Amino acid sequence: MTDTLIPNECKTSDPVENGYFKKGCNPFAQTGRSKLQNKRAHINQQIIKQMRMRAGAENLLKATSNNKVREQVVLELSYVNSDLQLLMEQLEGLNSSVDVYQNVQEMSSIPLIPLGLKETKDVDFSVALKDLILEHYSEDGSNFQAEIDDLMDLRQACRTPSRNPSGVDLLASYFSQLSFLEPRFFSPTRQIAIFFTWYDSFTGVPVCQQNISLEKASMLFNMAALYSQIGTRADRQTQAGLEDAIAAFQKSAGVLHYLKETFTHTPSYDMSPAMLSMLIRLMLAQAQECMFEQITLPGIRNEFFSLLKIAQEAAKVGETYSEVHQSMIQTPIKNNVPFFWTTMSELKTNHYNSLAHYFVSTALLDHQLAPSDDEDKQEKALSQLYDTMPEGRSPLDILKNKEERRRIGKAHLQRSIMGHEEAIRIHSRCRHLQKLDILSEILQAGLKRSLTKFEQNDKEDEFTDYMLAPDIISKTEKKAEMEIPAATKVKVKDLFQRLGPLSVFSAKQRWSAPRTIRLRLQDRDLGFTLKGDAPVQIQSLDPLCPAAAEGLKEGDYLVAVGDTECKWLGVSDVMKLLKGADEEGVNIRVVSMLDSSSQPMPTKSATYGGLPKTYSMICLAHDEDDKNPKSRKVAKKPSFLSWGLKNKQKSGSTLSLPNADYNGPWNRPCPTYPSSCNESALY
């Protein structure tokens, strides 16, 4: 989103961890991308403001029976819905502003589509974590203020990552830190007062939940978006730049695939399975396009076999974009994807298919079969070009017949001309595409080249009907594949490791308060033995020893000897501390693991499965019974906080936007946002 700009007073040789800002982040960068992201954040705030106004108006509409008041409220609701639609169009415009993401040094390639970063609100971990540390781990939460501050700084830095590998590493480090944070503080049987708010990347609809899975999934989405921006930024006029672009788009597809397979029932529509599948196809199509550019960068040899090879490579790019376009026009994706994206994918489908037909026509028209040519090799190459040969002719007959080659070549030129004309028509249909001058120039140049070739091979006295050229079989030497980057599994240090090994000291376990026991050695005998790695456990306890009399129990965990913390010490290290005690003995601190099955459930909220209502409810609550609102019962709905890893408890999908096939009141005033006649509330 932003490029890293090191201030003058900061030295670039240092990682800047303790300086002006973290490595991989610069919140003060004033680039075109950062300005777009700031606009996105502002629009998201406006959207939630309008949705709050609409929720209040809807509640007033249901509470009053005064006709004049109802008429006024309905009028206000129409204004609010119009404002929401305008805000959505502004957000679509931001998602269509691809020019600022392109490489500024080369402007001779067709622009690529990047993903915009999801926006979020600040999260205050301080109070909730300190309370939990005191309550659950019996530690003074204020002693962990430095770790909490580091966590909050890391999350804040992830809101403005630099558009380079350092920015990806920054997001990956926070994602890995969340993997430590989740088992340490987030239990499935209790909720803590930490709310994560994220905005849909396409619609701006907010989702606010206490589930840390929302945070992890959103971070993965932003990693994929950042990879797509890195690929878009690469210099595609060099082999190294194209390699970087291919790798970035394949990694973006890999992260999106990992997100789709790991997290289910995501509450934000931009992370729904259907949307993620489309985005994966888009990233792979752009990687395939870069592979085609990599092949053609040194130049295309005007030779029969080379031209047929390039034609099939171009057909492969057109085929991948055709699949992308087909997925974009499916309901409900078509209602949420920017129109610019849909038209761009359709335009590229026509453009690359036209290139394929042009290269085949050039091979047939400019390269007649000579006595020195290998007939068998050319026959095999031509037979692999079509599913069905034109008009049932054999490949060898076409190669040997000059007029037949010219006739089929002109048919391919006709399809090339028609395809480029269609691409130009599509270009004129979208105002955001019209702003891309380089795209118009490329399309016009392709059309002019095909027209010139057709005129060169057209005869004035020729009045025969032209045949329709068959489709070209797509084929590629290197297919774009998803690549899950190592950044998704980067190793980081657990910020809260002082609480002890995570395998033992986690949120799902319950502990007694630490007990201090005075340990005195009798004939150098402890009265018990130790087992385990870290922390060590008491075993083989002599019930008659002094330690047992003071309250030591079998299976207790030893967490401190004197002033030395022992949570991370093994048996040998702890034994050294115990054996080193003098005749007066030494104090040890132990804790006992309690039965987790007796842990009380959290206090239930008023509605929706005992969990607080979230912002996503705005777009999901349906008014099933408006006839008798007083007697209407609220049905218990699946928890919106229960979505997470696969193979866990299943819950209903919580998409932020309604399905376009639904014919209820959602679609009346506005196809994108819920209408005024439904039961919804923000809190």
Side-chain angles (χ1 to χ4, degrees):
M1 181 181 67
T2 56
D3 293 323
T4 303
L5 302 177
I6 308 295
N8 294 330
E9 58 268 24
C10 293
K11 297 180 180 179
T12 57
S13 58
D14 297 331
V16 206
E17 282 292 333
N18 299 319
Y20 208 34
F21 50 82
K22 286 183 176 292
K23 183 179 180 181
C25 159
N26 180 16
F28 303 110
Q30 292 298 317
T31 64
R33 293 164 298 283
S34 65
K35 292 177 181 178
L36 277 183
Q37 202 66 28
N38 290 335
K39 291 180 181 178
R40 182 189 297 272
H42 177 70
I43 292 175
N44 288 336
Q45 292 297 325
Q46 293 295 112
I47 287 176
I48 192 173
K49 178 181 177 182
Q50 294 295 326
M51 295 181 81
R52 284 172 175 168
M53 292 174 60
R54 186 180 62 185
E58 289 172 345
N59 292 335
L60 178 59
L61 187 64
K62 294 176 181 179
T64 183
S65 58
N66 188 306
N67 290 333
K68 290 186 177 180
V69 174
R70 292 180 64 86
E71 290 176 2
Q72 184 65 28
V73 171
V74 169
L75 180 61
E76 292 296 333
L77 280 172
S78 66
Y79 292 149
V80 171
N81 284 326
S82 298
D83 290 340
L84 281 173
Q85 186 65 23
L86 291 174
L87 289 170
M88 193 275 289
E89 291 177 359
Q90 293 179 29
L91 193 60
E92 179 183 353
L94 294 184
N95 288 324
S96 304
S97 301
V98 300
D99 50 329
V100 299
Y101 292 95
Q102 312 302 314
N103 188 284
V104 295
Q105 297 177 352
E106 61 95 5
M107 291 299 293
S108 57
S109 302
I110 298 180
L112 300 173
I113 298 176
L115 289 178
L117 297 178
K118 287 174 69 71
E119 277 293 329
T120 183
K121 295 177 67 175
D122 292 336
V123 174
D124 186 4
F125 292 98
S126 183
V127 176
L129 291 189
K130 285 193 289 187
D131 288 348
L132 186 63
I133 290 172
L134 177 61
E135 175 189 349
H136 188 75
Y137 295 101
S138 300
E139 299 267 4
D140 187 356
S142 60
N143 293 335
F144 292 85
Q145 187 62 53
E147 287 85 347
I148 296 174
D149 290 341
D150 289 342
L151 177 66
M152 294 175 63
D153 290 344
L154 181 59
R155 187 184 191 275
Q156 185 65 24
C158 289
R159 298 182 65 179
T160 55
S162 54
R163 196 167 55 142
N164 52 40
S166 295
V168 176
D169 292 341
L170 178 67
L171 299 182
S173 63
Y174 179 62
F175 176 78
S176 298
Q177 200 62 242
L178 292 174
S179 299
F180 287 118
L181 204 67
E182 182 175 16
R184 181 80 76 183
F185 298 112
F186 291 82
S187 170
T189 59
R190 62 182 296 172
Q191 298 293 330
I192 61 176
I194 296 177
F195 291 86
F196 302 102
T197 301
W198 287 88
Y199 297 89
D200 191 290
S201 179
F202 297 103
T203 65
V205 174
V207 175
C208 179
Q209 292 191 354
Q210 292 173 282
N211 196 339
I212 196 173
S213 294
L214 173 63
E215 184 88 346
K216 295 173 69 176
S218 299
M219 200 53 55
L220 283 176
F221 186 93
N222 276 0
M223 285 178 62
L226 199 57
Y227 271 123
S228 74
Q229 295 180 15
I230 292 173
T232 306
R233 184 190 189 187
D235 184 1
R236 288 150 61 201
Q237 296 303 307
T238 64
Q239 287 288 352
L242 285 168
E243 285 288 348
D244 293 340
I246 293 169
F249 285 121
Q250 291 185 143
K251 289 178 180 178
S252 179
V255 174
L256 291 170
H257 178 73
Y258 179 74
L259 170 59
K260 176 186 173 185
E261 294 299 315
T262 306
F263 297 94
T264 58
H265 308 295
T266 50
S268 183
Y269 188 75
D270 56 357
M271 296 188 292
S272 66
M275 183 64 78
L276 290 177
S277 297
M278 184 277 292
L279 293 177
I280 291 170
R281 290 191 183 97
L282 175 61
M283 295 300 112
L284 292 178
Q286 296 189 135
Q288 195 69 52
E289 182 179 5
C290 292
M291 289 177 180
F292 175 78
E293 294 176 345
Q294 191 177 38
I295 295 173
T296 59
L297 183 62
I300 302 173
R301 292 176 56 196
N302 192 6
E303 187 263 334
F304 184 81
F305 298 106
S306 296
L307 291 170
L308 293 188
K309 173 187 172 183
I310 296 299
Q312 290 187 298
E313 291 281 356
K316 181 63 178 180
V317 180
E319 180 182 75
T320 56
Y321 272 111
S322 176
E323 294 173 355
V324 173
H325 180 254
Q326 289 302 316
S327 62
M328 284 183 178
I329 62 177
Q330 300 300 316
T331 304
I333 295 178
K334 66 179 181 180
N335 296 328
N336 301 303
V337 171
F339 181 65
F340 171 87
W341 288 25
T342 307
T343 52
M344 176 66 92
S345 61
E346 186 180 8
L347 182 150
K348 288 189 176 184
T349 300
N350 285 276
H351 172 67
Y352 283 103
N353 285 336
S354 298
L355 288 181
H357 286 289
Y358 174 80
F359 289 126
V360 171
S361 69
T362 303
L364 292 174
L365 294 172
D366 294 356
H367 300 279
Q368 302 297 328
L369 187 63
S372 59
D373 293 336
D374 188 339
E375 290 186 4
D376 294 338
K377 188 176 180 180
Q378 287 200 14
E379 181 182 10
K380 181 180 179 181
L382 189 62
S383 64
Q384 294 176 347
L385 193 65
Y386 308 110
D387 280 327
T388 305
M389 296 302 296
E391 298 183 348
R393 304 291 296 272
S394 67
L396 191 58
D397 289 343
I398 296 174
L399 291 172
K400 290 183 176 181
N401 190 324
K402 183 177 180 180
E403 284 300 317
E404 193 64 24
R405 288 178 70 133
R406 190 176 69 85
R407 182 166 171 261
I408 297 175
K410 289 180 66 176
H412 280 289
L413 276 177
Q414 274 196 318
R415 289 200 62 176
S416 177
I417 293 171
M418 292 169 58
H420 277 120
E421 289 176 342
E422 178 64 15
I424 292 173
R425 187 188 68 80
I426 295 171
H427 177 268
S428 63
R429 212 171 64 199
C430 177
R431 60 186 177 90
H432 295 291
L433 282 177
Q434 294 174 10
K435 298 177 182 178
L436 303 176
D437 296 333
I438 183 62
L439 181 58
S440 177
E441 294 174 6
I442 292 174
L443 296 178
Q444 292 292 345
L447 176 60
K448 183 178 180 181
R449 181 174 54 184
S450 297
L451 287 172
T452 302
K453 192 73 162 178
F454 188 85
E455 292 173 357
Q456 291 173 353
N457 292 272
D458 192 26
K459 294 182 180 179
E460 295 182 359
D461 56 347
E462 188 174 34
F463 296 101
T464 56
D465 294 333
Y466 295 109
M467 60 176 290
L468 179 64
D471 293 331
I472 299 169
I473 297 177
S474 64
K475 184 179 179 181
T476 180
E477 291 184 351
K478 186 179 179 182
K479 183 180 179 182
E481 301 285 352
M482 290 180 294
E483 176 184 348
I484 299 180
T488 57
K489 300 178 181 179
V490 65
K491 293 183 178 181
V492 296
K493 179 182 177 182
D494 182 9
L495 288 176
F496 297 91
Q497 65 174 352
R498 286 198 291 134
L499 290 173
L502 192 55
S503 59
V504 177
F505 296 98
S506 62
K508 67 180 180 180
Q509 307 291 354
R510 296 182 62 229
W511 302 95
S512 66
R515 308 189 307 277
T516 301
I517 296 174
R518 188 68 178 179
L519 185 64
R520 295 178 177 85
L521 302 182
Q522 295 181 342
D523 299 328
R524 310 306 297 174
D525 183 21
L526 296 173
F528 57 86
T529 59
L530 302 176
K531 71 173 182 178
D533 294 328
V536 296
Q537 274 186 285
I538 306 296
Q539 73 170 2
S540 302
L541 177 66
D542 183 357
L544 301 178
C545 70
E550 290 200 20
L552 189 64
K553 300 177 182 178
E554 182 88 12
D556 280 351
Y557 286 88
L558 200 157
V559 296
V561 176
D563 296 330
T564 304
E565 293 286 338
C566 300
K567 292 179 179 178
W568 288 95
L569 297 183
V571 173
S572 60
D573 294 327
V574 174
M575 287 301 298
K576 289 179 182 179
L577 294 174
L578 295 176
K579 294 294 184 180
D582 54 22
E583 295 180 355
E584 295 182 358
V586 63
N587 288 334
I588 63 173
R589 277 190 294 123
V590 296
V591 294
S592 301
M593 184 180 295
L594 304 179
D595 184 10
S596 299
S597 61
S598 61
Q599 185 171 353
M601 292 297 290
T603 304
K604 289 189 175 183
S605 299
T607 58
Y608 295 98
L611 295 172
K613 222 172 187 183
T614 65
Y615 287 144
S616 57
M617 294 292 184
I618 303 164
C619 303
L620 293 166
H622 290 254
D623 189 3
E624 300 290 348
D625 186 10
D626 278 333
K627 296 181 180 180
N628 190 7
K630 293 184 179 180
S631 62
R632 182 174 61 252
K633 295 183 179 180
V634 179
K636 187 174 181 180
K637 300 189 178 182
S639 166
F640 272 65
L641 307 181
S642 62
W643 69 278
L645 300 179
K646 278 192 170 181
N647 301 324
K648 287 191 177 180
Q649 179 182 2
K650 300 296 182 180
S651 62
S653 180
T654 59
L655 304 184
S656 294
L657 294 178
N659 192 306
D661 290 336
Y662 177 73
N663 295 321
W666 295 83
N667 296 327
R668 283 203 291 264
C670 171
T672 304
Y673 294 98
S675 74
S676 59
C677 298
N678 60 68
E679 182 181 8
S680 63
L682 282 169
Y683 305 106

